[in-house]
Amino acid sequence: MKGRFIVFEGIDGSGKTTQAKLLAEYLEGQGKKAVLTAEPTKLPTGKALREALGGKVKKSECEMAVLFVQDRIAHNIVPEDGIEALVNAGVDVICDRYYYSTLAYQGQSTDYAWVKSMNLSCPEIRKPDLCIYIDLLPEQSLERISKGRDSVEIYENVETLTKVRDKFLSVIDDLSATDNIKVINGYRTPEEVAAEIQKTVNAL
């Protein structure tokens, strides 16, 4: 039996990384094999992407979009622990960020249709069985971020987070006819959010 490919998305502070870990623990508790992964990856393509994101290497927005696609293809097709190999081996793969993030960011700063086509038309980029978008208002996100840290990064402000959330919601609206996307209210206790996620995954 094949495994399932589940993606988590959300703005900063939404709790997606925490919920991805909780889901993996839950699935393993059910006797299933689960692997956590993330994008950018730890592969050479992901390293190049991180260097560009960190400003070490200057890249245009179009180059960034292509780098994300290259890293995503590698993430899918790496022979031993790529998404495709793991799913075919019966492992549930849980990924923190996927092409929804690329469409929300590079899709707005370059040409949306081009970025969408590169990701959704590529035979080596697997469509998730489920995308869980944890929705949080920017004010709620900042409330959480400020509780967890001594300082808030410059892009972590209401205006920026509002724009990012709006981008994500437009991507979700655009892909809702082709992708299985579940929007979950993240402004609850981690246990309440996890319970709804578990129910959603069990229904797959």
Side-chain angles (χ1 to χ4, degrees), residues 139-188:
E139 293 84 358
Q140 296 167 341
S141 166
L142 287 171
E143 180 189 316
R144 283 206 182 155
I145 292 168
S146 61
K147 279 180 185 173
R149 295 207 299 266
D150 293 331
S151 61
V152 175
E153 293 179 18
I154 53 167
Y155 60 84
E156 291 169 340
N157 58 70
V158 171
E159 187 184 356
T160 303
L161 290 172
T162 298
K163 284 180 183 173
V164 174
R165 179 174 180 263
D166 288 347
K167 287 173 186 174
F168 266 118
L169 293 177
S170 70
V171 169
I172 289 166
D173 185 55
D174 182 45
L175 299 188
S176 59
T178 57
D179 288 36
N180 182 18
I181 305 169
K182 174 78 172 175
V183 178
I184 286 178
N185 174 17
Y187 199 60
R188 295 175 290 171

Side-chain angles (χ1 to χ4, degrees), residues 22-38:
L22 289 173
L23 179 60
E25 289 168 8
Y26 169 76
L27 292 172
E28 285 170 353
Q30 300 288 306
K32 295 181 171 67
K33 290 179 182 175
V35 167
L36 278 169
T37 186

Side-chain angles (χ1 to χ4, degrees), residues 82-99:
I83 295 165
E84 201 67 26
L86 290 170
V87 167
N88 287 336
V91 178
D92 285 339
V93 179
I94 302 163
C95 187
D96 187 342
R97 293 202 185 281
Y98 200 53
Y99 57 59

Side-chain angles (χ1 to χ4, degrees), residues 6-196:
I6 300 163
V7 170
F8 277 84
E9 294 279 11
I11 65 173
D12 291 314
S14 63
K16 62 184 173 53
T17 306
T18 298
Q19 289 299 332
K21 288 176 185 172
L22 289 173
L23 179 60
E25 289 168 8
Y26 169 76
L27 292 172
E28 285 170 353
Q30 300 288 306
K32 295 181 171 67
K33 290 179 182 175
V35 167
L36 278 169
T37 186
E39 292 191 353
T41 67
K42 293 177 181 175
L43 297 165
T45 46
K47 186 183 176 187
L49 196 44
R50 287 179 197 279
E51 285 179 351
L53 286 166
K56 287 184 181 177
V57 181
K58 191 160 177 61
K59 299 284 184 184
S60 73
E61 288 296 328
C62 286
E63 284 178 307
M64 289 299 291
V66 171
L67 281 173
F68 272 106
V69 171
Q70 287 179 325
D71 190 40
R72 193 157 295 128
I73 291 170
H75 196 188
N76 272 272
I77 67 169
V78 168
E80 287 181 14
D81 55 358
I83 295 165
E84 201 67 26
L86 290 170
V87 167
N88 287 336
V91 178
D92 285 339
V93 179
I94 302 163
C95 187
D96 187 342
R97 293 202 185 281
Y98 200 53
Y99 57 59
Y100 308 93
S101 286
T102 305
L103 288 172
Y105 290 95
Q106 282 69 40
Q108 309 299 325
S109 57
T110 61
D111 182 82
Y112 182 83
W114 172 64
V115 177
K116 180 181 175 181
S117 176
M118 274 199 300
N119 282 277
L120 274 70
S121 301
C122 178
E124 292 183 337
I125 293 180
R126 188 183 188 92
K127 183 184 288 187
D129 295 294
L130 172 67
C131 170
I132 296 167
Y133 178 78
I134 301 177
D135 192 31
L136 211 59
L137 294 173
E139 293 84 358
Q140 296 167 341
S141 166
L142 287 171
E143 180 189 316
R144 283 206 182 155
I145 292 168
S146 61
K147 279 180 185 173
R149 295 207 299 266
D150 293 331
S151 61
V152 175
E153 293 179 18
I154 53 167
Y155 60 84
E156 291 169 340
N157 58 70
V158 171
E159 187 184 356
T160 303
L161 290 172
T162 298
K163 284 180 183 173
V164 174
R165 179 174 180 263
D166 288 347
K167 287 173 186 174
F168 266 118
L169 293 177
S170 70
V171 169
I172 289 166
D173 185 55
D174 182 45
L175 299 188
S176 59
T178 57
D179 288 36
N180 182 18
I181 305 169
K182 174 78 172 175
V183 178
I184 286 178
N185 174 17
Y187 199 60
R188 295 175 290 171
T189 67
E191 293 77 17
E192 287 171 322
V193 175
E196 187 176 349

